[in-house]
Amino acid sequence: MGSSYIKPPKKYISKDLVMRNLDLQEKEFDKLVTLCGVHPYIPKNNRKVDQGDGFYYRISDANKLLHSDVYRKLIINRDLENKKKRYTGTGFEYKIKNIHYKEYGYVDLIKSRCKGFGEAVDELNHTLSNLYLGRMLNLNDGISEVIEMFERFVAKKSLLEYSYMSKSGIYNQMTLGKVKVVWFVPYPGAELKDIVEEKKDMPKKFEWSEPNFLDFLSSSEESSSELEEREEAYNDPRKIDISLLSHSIPLLMTHCKLVLHKLEKVYESHEGGRKIFSDVKFYIESKAVEGALRLIVLSCGGSIVESPHEANIHISEKIDEMVENVAYLQPQYLFDCLNQGKRLYAESYSVGRKLPKHISPFASVDSIISKESLMTMSKTRRHKIEDLINRFEDVKYDH
């Protein structure tokens, strides 16, 4: 008797089917997976329960979403929002002030997601990069305060190790214990509001109900909110959806503040080691990278003055008026001094002179693994390695 072929188990379900079983619209679903820390997958076809478009999720993760406290509160808050809408314009608006939304408990979500403090520190890579992007997009008024707290801590303890100007923004690195934290700061000034938006949920179309063969959510009667008329929604196809980032901002701010609170205690007696610019006064006149320059100066023991007449070094790309006994240097000078750990020859960076090559202090894929070795790997494995090195780990690859 020949051995029969054992088919692999079907573990993945499409996003559309999960949304239908959870009775959520896309924006609600995006908020749920963001707060629960559930990631999408790209499975092979023989591992899929259904053939849908877009991303897939593990059935076990779908069950996790269903039984999560976040999902329960999301449904409650949706019902409360519908109640507020019903009161609007009816003369019962005074009842709206008695409606209080359920809080999602961001502290508990962070603690459940990170098994220990080391893991919480490692997650700063993503948290900080997203907070800086969120600040540029004006997604939350509280982001600036959190970033200022973080930068004050880094500067006070002289923790900044490297900073590099790329084409799209600035990469920074510090080491906390044995964990390297790298974060990205986009250049300011771009009018991103013209190319991004938070997507709106479109009105649901009538569909015949399908048998719930997954049995991870029992069928229920149609809620009253579904019977109400939905507002017309329009999403501009030319703009990038930033809903996921917007949903995650409160969680990211909480994460950053929790880690900073712990780090303040851990580094309470820590004395900053880098004093490259001790007793040097800087006047910074470079709006594009002013924040990064201030962080470098303060992290390296220097001070920043508000008048060019008080400075020893004036950082700028051009000179309108010169002050005697002041060195006029280009911004790259500060980056290169930090990266090389010493004060470099200033004349090479004078305003108007051709600058030395700005070399990245960070490792690339090619510097870690040879191109020949990469080409011998499967495309999936090669992409996974590249993603890990580049720290883009949102999408999981299934073998």
Side-chain angles (χ1 to χ4, degrees), residues 280-287 293 297 303-334 346 349-352:
V280 181
K281 298 178 181 179
F282 289 86
Y283 178 76
I284 298 175
E285 191 179 14
S286 180
K287 296 298 181 184
L293 297 176
V297 168
S303 60
I304 297 171
V305 295
E306 301 301 323
S307 170
H309 298 278
E310 302 173 7
N312 305 120
I313 297 178
H314 186 138
I315 301 294
S316 180
E317 289 90 0
K318 60 181 181 178
I319 305 174
D320 294 326
E321 181 181 350
M322 296 189 68
V323 178
E324 191 176 357
N325 297 324
V326 175
Y328 290 83
L329 307 179
Q330 299 181 63
Q332 186 181 318
Y333 173 72
L334 292 179
Y349 296 86
S350 296
V351 175

Side-chain angles (χ1 to χ4, degrees), residues 84 87-100:
K84 285 180 65 175
Y87 286 144
T88 302
T90 62
F92 292 96
E93 285 85 358
Y94 66 92
K95 291 188 176 183
I96 293 178
K97 65 180 181 180
N98 296 322
I99 296 177
H100 303 288

Side-chain angles (χ1 to χ4, degrees), residues 20-86:
R20 286 204 299 271
N21 279 276
L22 292 176
D23 188 28
L24 295 176
Q25 294 197 62
E26 188 166 12
K27 192 170 181 178
E28 295 171 328
F29 179 78
D30 288 344
K31 184 170 187 175
L32 178 62
V33 296
T34 299
L35 296 182
C36 290
V38 171
H39 299 284
Y41 286 78
I42 305 176
K44 295 179 180 179
N45 286 332
N46 61 355
R47 309 294 296 278
K48 299 176 181 177
V49 169
D50 63 315
Q51 298 298 321
D53 297 329
F55 291 119
Y56 282 73
Y57 293 85
R58 287 183 183 273
I59 294 178
S60 58
D61 285 338
N63 276 294
K64 175 183 175 181
L65 295 174
L66 169 64
H67 298 291
S68 68
D69 193 51
V70 176
Y71 175 65
R72 181 181 65 82
K73 292 178 178 178
L74 187 66
I75 297 301
I76 293 174
N77 288 340
R78 183 176 67 182
D79 293 340
L80 292 175
E81 181 65 26
N82 290 329
K83 184 181 289 187
K84 285 180 65 175
K85 290 180 180 179
R86 288 198 297 270

Side-chain angles (χ1 to χ4, degrees), residues 47 50 58 98 142 148 196 223 251 320 367 392 397:
R47 309 294 296 278
D50 63 315
R58 287 183 183 273
N98 296 322
E148 288 172 7
V196 300
S223 63
L251 189 67
D320 294 326
S367 66
F392 297 122
Y397 294 88

Side-chain angles (χ1 to χ4, degrees), residues 4 22 32 49-50 69 87 93 148 152-153 161 176 213 253 259 267 280 292 329 341 350 352 364 372 387:
S4 59
L22 292 176
L32 178 62
V49 169
D50 63 315
D69 193 51
Y87 286 144
E93 285 85 358
E148 288 172 7
R152 280 199 303 269
F153 170 75
E161 295 174 325
L176 300 173
F213 57 90
M253 290 195 298
V259 173
Y267 283 83
V280 181
L329 307 179
S350 296
S364 64
E372 292 76 13
D387 286 350

